[in-house]
Amino acid sequence: DKAEDRQMFKDTMMSIDQPVIPSMVVNDVESAVKFTNEIGYPVIIRPAFTLGGTGGGIVNNEEELREITSNGLELSPITQVLVEKCISGWKEIEFEVMRDSKGNVITICSMENFDPVGVHTGDSIVIAPAVTLSDKEYQMLRSAALDIISALKVEGGCNCQFALDPESMEYAVIEVNPRVSRSSALASKATGYPIAKVASKIAIGYTLSEIKNAVTGTTYACFEPAIDYVVVKFPKWPFDKFVYAKRDLGTQMKATGEVMAIAPTFEQAIMKAVRGAEISHNTLDDKEYAKLSDANVMHQLSVCDDRRIFCVYEALKRGISVDKIHEITMIDEWFLEKLRNIIAVSDELRSGALTEELYSRAKHTGFLDKTIEEMSGQKIENPLTPVYKMVDTCAAEFAAETPYFYSTFDKENEAEEFIAERKSDKKTVIVFGSGPIRIGQGIEFDYASVHCVWALKKAGFDVVIVNNNPETVSTDFDKIGRAH
């Protein structure tokens, strides 16, 4: 209740000196109108006890306020909404934290939204770990997250969301999910730390110092994960099915899924993610935006919808400055400069000879061989072979028993070493999984794949399962870990 009831949450935050955005909890429309007239528009409406921001939104005038507040009150099971001063444009930072019954607390993962506050985190491109913060900002928010989970006395996983003013050290707590959320699944996969499993063990009385880390097999769950790569989450929207739906993004979540990409750099990870989203893009180039005039591209920058990253990329290609785009979108300059790095490589591919050095740089930036050949008009003579790097929760500080891997281009292939150490004389059987999980599809497909693996292992075979985003990997990667 202290996390989900808007008034109790506000009171709890104030009792531990955590800053909250000026707001008021209301149970009727007239109170919302009165309070908004005092603090001024725009404001955000956040209903209590609803998921994914349902029933809420940003309002800019009294007509919108009355409509959205009325809807929010109806959808809230306790007929309660929070009217909150809108701080769109601030950075949105999340911390996934874990606590046990003895009060031990750790942060599992920090995450930063590509889009500033105002876009639901489920609809934003997200990068882990947070990348644009100074150490002082990072430590300030991390300490706040640990204080919050301790004050709420959550036993298990918890997600803390913060807004940070990009021009000062001022921050505010947006909200807390006192449970395993969609962000937890991302944090789990990004770090290799099985949040749901550890939370379940905490629920039945174990403490963090008693729970073994399933990936290393030697360390314990009280070790904070360390990651030596970056992870990008790219949302998947259903607008291809709901063609008349409003594509604008706000505080209500519209994405129905997401893809995750792991790479050594943001450039490579975002390029992987956009290809994985199955939206017919091999790069961030977009045919529709390429047809627009410069004036139209400038106009589209202020439209916040599911295609904004492609508009930003097109604007950068046309020479619109990072400062100007930041001023319009409030997307951090760090991200915009990274997109410019991709454009610089793509310009080189289109204009010069395809040298070995340029080809290698293009691969490290995330371009496919096919795309490199199309852009340069030249054939690749000696294509690079990907290597596989380890996700092991501890940045290779300890040996890993059940790690998983991501592909990139480098000298050292960590998967090769891992497999060599576990060479056996058994015959190997491949099990093909069901492929991408679509909305409305059950877990039965993964269940069947996993049981197939178990049966074959029992029969004395080594087994390799080939799948695409199996649901089981969200929480129980070690169920089939040794079979991957």
Side-chain angles (χ1 to χ4, degrees), residues 278-448:
E278 295 185 342
I279 49 173
S280 307
H281 279 68
N282 282 336
T283 67
L284 292 162
D285 289 299
D286 186 275
K287 289 175 187 148
E288 296 305 311
Y289 286 107
K291 291 176 193 167
L292 298 181
S293 66
D294 288 2
N296 271 344
V297 169
M298 278 297 281
H299 169 70
Q300 285 296 119
L301 279 174
S302 55
V303 176
C304 186
D305 64 11
D306 59 304
R307 297 165 293 196
R308 180 150 77 162
I309 188 167
F310 303 114
C311 183
V312 167
Y313 191 77
E314 184 63 37
L316 287 165
K317 273 169 66 180
R318 299 195 187 194
I320 297 168
S321 73
V322 162
D323 290 343
K324 186 69 188 162
I325 295 171
H326 170 69
E327 189 188 312
I328 297 168
T329 63
M330 290 307 288
I331 294 167
D332 193 273
E333 293 93 336
W334 188 92
F335 293 114
L336 299 175
E337 289 291 357
K338 293 291 181 184
L339 296 181
R340 267 189 24 172
N341 291 347
I342 300 172
I343 291 165
V345 173
S346 121
D347 288 346
E348 273 191 73
L349 287 169
R350 286 190 167 99
S351 62
L354 185 59
T355 61
E356 213 169 292
E357 186 273 332
L358 176 57
Y359 171 61
S360 173
R361 219 156 15 96
K363 294 305 285 179
H364 283 94
T365 310
F367 287 92
L368 289 174
D369 281 358
K370 184 173 79 171
T371 311
I372 293 169
E373 289 187 340
E374 277 170 18
M375 286 181 167
S376 66
Q378 295 166 61
K379 191 97 181 88
I380 296 162
E381 298 304 330
N382 300 306
L384 285 173
T385 309
V387 298
Y388 293 85
K389 296 288 187 185
M390 208 179 265
V391 174
D392 59 6
T393 76
C394 60
E397 202 174 327
F398 301 92
E401 282 298 307
T402 57
Y404 45 98
F405 301 87
Y406 63 94
S407 64
T408 184
F409 295 89
D410 203 336
K411 298 280 185 287
E412 187 190 14
N413 188 348
E414 292 174 4
E416 206 166 48
E417 298 160 28
F418 181 80
I419 292 163
E421 285 166 19
R422 285 155 181 77
K423 203 89 181 120
S424 82
D425 301 325
K426 294 178 186 174
K427 283 191 168 176
T428 305
V429 178
I430 289 183
V431 173
F432 280 104
S434 60
I437 296 294
R438 287 280 179 261
I439 185 168
Q441 198 173 322
I443 194 174
E444 301 85 13
F445 301 100
D446 290 329
Y447 186 84

Side-chain angles (χ1 to χ4, degrees), residues 119 122-124 234-250 252-257 277-279 289 303-308 310 439:
V119 175
D123 278 338
S124 180
F234 197 94
K236 174 83 174 167
W237 291 276
F239 298 129
D240 52 342
K241 289 180 183 174
F242 301 103
V243 286
Y244 298 112
K246 221 172 148 197
R247 300 183 84 122
D248 292 357
L249 303 179
Q252 279 194 51
M253 190 168 101
K254 293 185 177 179
T256 50
E278 295 185 342
I279 49 173
Y289 286 107
V303 176
C304 186
D305 64 11
D306 59 304
R307 297 165 293 196
R308 180 150 77 162
F310 303 114
I439 185 168

